[in-house]
Amino acid sequence: MIEFVFAPEDVARVRFAFSPLWEMVRSLRVLTDPSGHALHLPWVRTVRPRLRGLGLEPLQEVVQPAGYIPDFLTPPPGTPLPELGAELEIVRATPPEVVAAELRWTTRGRRPAQARLAMAADPERTLAHLADLLERYWEVAMEPFWPRVRDLLEGDVLRRAGALTAEGAAGVFGDLHGAVTWRAGTLTVDRPWRFRGELAGRGILLVPSAFVWPKVSVMVPPYQPMLSYPPRGVATLWETGRPDDDRAGALAALIGRRRAELLSALATPASTTDLARRTGVTAGAVSQHLGVLRACGLVIGHRMGRRVLYVRTAAGDALAGAQRSDARASSRGGAGVPPGP
């Protein structure tokens, strides 16, 4: 059991970020053990044929299906919206002695460990090779799908930042994950190891991650305390069909079929481009319909860096039957279709 004890100043230092590098490293576990991550099977089926001949064996040797992942492969995000290139530079700058120590740590209690021990014996060469492999893997397996993953992560940050402002820590942690509970200033995470400590003014970094599903991941002091969790709406990540809400017919009669589809699709925040892909409508048409929905007070746009994410207002949630849609999305699990080109 992990217990983070919050002081008042720690609540004020709850921060959000997400990481392309974290998603990439976590996705390696999904490829190695798809049975434990059935939600992402559509992505696995699409990506696996593209990886033939890429030589990912060293990465898969280091990122095992379960247990410890070397920390040098997953440095904490330094900004709310990090770029992969900057994150890989941090990885490449890891001191050789740290690489060697963390690779040796992955051999504890595991057999066979000869490959990882050999990698630890030449940490500089190993680090350069792993970073190069990560870069190639990103181009083939992650970059084509990153816009939809990024929209999901940004949408979750948007919602939870709003909940933090409106309701404080209870609003953020209340529905974060079944393994996470918040009570009387203590955040408890159900994990198979034990830690209890004060945050001592450092606060906590919350990192939504699609590929950490269905679990959570924790980092404790002396590192920056951090909790990685599946974002809201992750069950819809690989869906490409139009929403099938039971109320779609009545809603379409009220506001029009296209606008009803868009309002239903905004059960999770999304960009114009993502909405166009999911509903089969041009981006220009989506923008026009969003303008009408915004004028009616049903959606609102929030700028995230260079992009704008649209989210339903309370009135939009009520009109679309948000609670029913969310429940249906969660129950569908991995029932999607292969994504993208």
Side-chain angles (χ1 to χ4, degrees), residues 47-69:
V47 165
R48 269 190 169 169
R50 307 179 184 185
L51 299 177
R52 294 180 186 134
L54 205 61
L56 294 179
E57 291 80 8
L59 270 177
Q60 292 172 318
E61 180 67 34
V62 172
V63 182
Q64 295 285 309
Y68 173 70
I69 295 176

Side-chain angles (χ1 to χ4, degrees), residues 101-162:
E102 293 182 359
L103 287 174
R104 291 191 185 102
W105 179 263
T106 66
T107 68
R108 293 185 56 173
R110 293 178 180 165
R111 298 291 185 271
Q114 291 85 353
R116 274 159 278 157
L117 288 173
M119 296 167 78
D122 192 353
E124 293 185 8
R125 180 179 178 183
T126 294
L127 180 63
H129 187 43
L130 291 177
D132 288 344
L133 283 176
L134 284 171
E135 201 161 13
R136 275 182 266 161
Y137 175 68
W138 170 266
E139 293 172 358
V140 174
M142 293 296 293
E143 189 172 26
F145 314 106
W146 179 241
R148 71 168 66 186
V149 175
R150 180 186 59 203
D151 280 354
L152 182 69
L153 303 180
E154 287 182 348
D156 190 84
V157 169
L158 186 64
R159 282 184 177 273
R160 295 197 185 278

Side-chain angles (χ1 to χ4, degrees), residues 16 41 113 146 202 222 277 325:
F16 299 89
L41 282 176
W146 179 241
R202 287 176 293 190
R277 173 187 58 79
S325 296

Side-chain angles (χ1 to χ4, degrees), residues 4 6 20 47 50 82 97 99 122 133 135 175 240 255 262 336:
F4 292 118
F6 282 65
V47 165
R50 307 179 184 185
E97 61 273 17
V99 175
D122 192 353
L133 283 176
E135 201 161 13
D175 64 346
T240 57
I255 63 175
L262 290 172

Side-chain angles (χ1 to χ4, degrees), residues 256-327:
R257 180 169 63 89
R258 292 298 189 193
R259 291 167 193 160
E261 289 175 356
L262 290 172
L263 196 62
S264 295
L266 284 172
T268 56
S271 66
T272 300
T273 302
D274 186 45
L275 289 169
R277 173 187 58 79
R278 289 163 61 185
T279 59
V281 182
T282 66
V286 168
S287 294
Q288 291 180 3
H289 290 308
L290 286 174
V292 174
L293 294 173
R294 186 169 48 196
C296 293
L298 300 178
V299 304
I300 189 170
H302 294 272
R303 182 162 293 280
M304 300 285 290
R306 300 177 183 177
R307 303 162 58 253
V308 176
L309 285 185
Y310 290 89
V311 61
R312 291 193 306 223
T313 63
D317 280 345
L319 192 60
Q323 291 182 349
R324 180 181 298 181
S325 296
D326 286 347

Side-chain angles (χ1 to χ4, degrees), residues 85-105:
E87 291 191 299
L88 285 176
E89 286 303 312
I90 294 174
V91 172
R92 293 182 189 275
T94 307
E97 61 273 17
V98 173
V99 175
E102 293 182 359
L103 287 174
R104 291 191 185 102
W105 179 263

